[in-house]
Amino acid sequence: MMVAPNGNESSATYFILIGLPGLEEAQFWLAFPLCSLYLIAVLGNLTIIYIVWTEHSLHEPMYIFLSMLSGLDILISTSSMPKMMAIFWFNSTTIQFDACLLQMFAIHSLSGMESTVLLAMAFDRYVAICHPLRHATMLTLPRVTKIGVAAVLRGAALMAPLPIFIKRLPFCHSNILSHSYCLHQDVMMLACADNRVNVIYGLIVIIVAIGLDSLLISLSYLLILKTVLGLTREAQAKAFSTCVSHVCAVFIFYVPFIGLSMVHRFSKRRDSLLPVIMANIYLLVPPMLNPIVYGVKTKEIRQRILRLFHVATHTLDP
């Protein structure tokens, strides 16, 4: 279980993922609806990406950012789902230490990237509504690409120290994690040394990434609201209709994230089922809901999806 470099401290060579504490007997059957959510998320987001990149008329900043969001949704759910299914269906609860750190980095960095893309989408809506004449010149395709690259680099850079900080910690006592996948908050609680550096840096990341992004998104919509209230009723309805999908995506992402962070900060019991369920919801439900929201609320996406299914239906007809 442990490899001891000296007589007092030990280093974990692997961790054990519990899955769903207290529901071990039901995990096999619970895996089927979870797997269904994952497949819906992947299929829905792949459909969004396909439609955006094959329809030349959708090569606009709003839809390109949407395809980035869909790609991140696929990656963030895929970073945890295969191992989760292995736990539930095959009782494969062991994960190597380095693999755990890699999964932890992937989940947290992809979350940071998604937050940045949501901020970029808010900025796009702000420019389109508050400064429509400057939208085409401010958000050109090369600039949108650079924003996407910046989102990736920012998420990776902010989360890169987390595995390093975990590696410097000694682990003695237990190597059992309370979640279905590796999270920084869960792993650092197993350390038998002072983990204040991890706690402080974790708070800094939440404030700099999630806190700052959500603040700027809120500011963008306050400015949008101020501008929209000065328009005609018809123009107001049109402006609001272009923002509804993004506002839903923001709430779908931030509400589970903030809820999970609060539970981890204040929960005293590591074997509690609530944070585990919330963690699974956070990685599966938003990726599933985002393409549904955009498919229902965005006219251009909805029309392309209906056309796609219409073509598929006629192709299958004898």
Side-chain angles (χ1 to χ4, degrees), residues 7 25 41 114 144 148 151 156 175 178 208-209 228 240 245 264 271 296 300:
E25 296 298 322
E114 186 153 337
V144 169
N175 64 344
S178 60
V208 171
V228 168
F240 281 130
S245 300
H264 275 133
D271 60 345
V296 172
E300 292 78 7

Side-chain angles (χ1 to χ4, degrees), residues 141-208:
L141 289 181
R143 197 163 289 172
V144 169
T145 303
K146 289 177 182 177
I147 291 173
V149 173
V152 172
L153 294 177
R154 182 192 185 220
L158 281 173
M159 304 304 170
L162 294 182
I164 298 172
F165 291 154
I166 290 293
K167 271 217 163 186
R168 56 177 281 277
L169 292 173
F171 295 87
C172 26
H173 313 310
S174 174
N175 64 344
I176 299 175
L177 297 171
S178 60
H179 284 65
S180 307
Y181 51 85
C182 294
L183 284 175
H184 176 251
Q185 302 95 316
D186 200 20
V187 175
M188 72 176 183
M189 294 300 291
L190 296 181
C192 52
D194 188 355
N195 62 5
R196 276 181 295 182
V197 172
N198 298 69
V199 173
I200 293 170
Y201 187 76
L203 286 171
I204 291 172
V205 167
I206 290 176
I207 293 169
V208 171

Side-chain angles (χ1 to χ4, degrees), residues 48-49 51-69 117 120-121 123-125 128 132 135-145 147 238 242 294 298-301 304:
I48 294 290
I49 294 171
I51 289 172
V52 170
W53 289 102
T54 55
E55 290 284 346
H56 184 74
S57 62
L58 297 182
H59 290 183
E60 298 177 5
M62 182 175 77
Y63 301 109
I64 294 173
F65 285 135
L66 174 59
S67 67
M68 293 179 189
L69 186 70
V117 170
M121 295 172 80
F123 178 70
D124 168 67
R125 290 300 84 209
H135 184 259
T137 56
M138 287 185 68
L139 287 168
T140 60
L141 289 181
R143 197 163 289 172
V144 169
T145 303
I147 291 173
K238 185 178 180 180
T242 65
Y294 275 94
T298 307
K299 180 182 177 182
E300 292 78 7
I301 297 292
R304 268 73 176 183

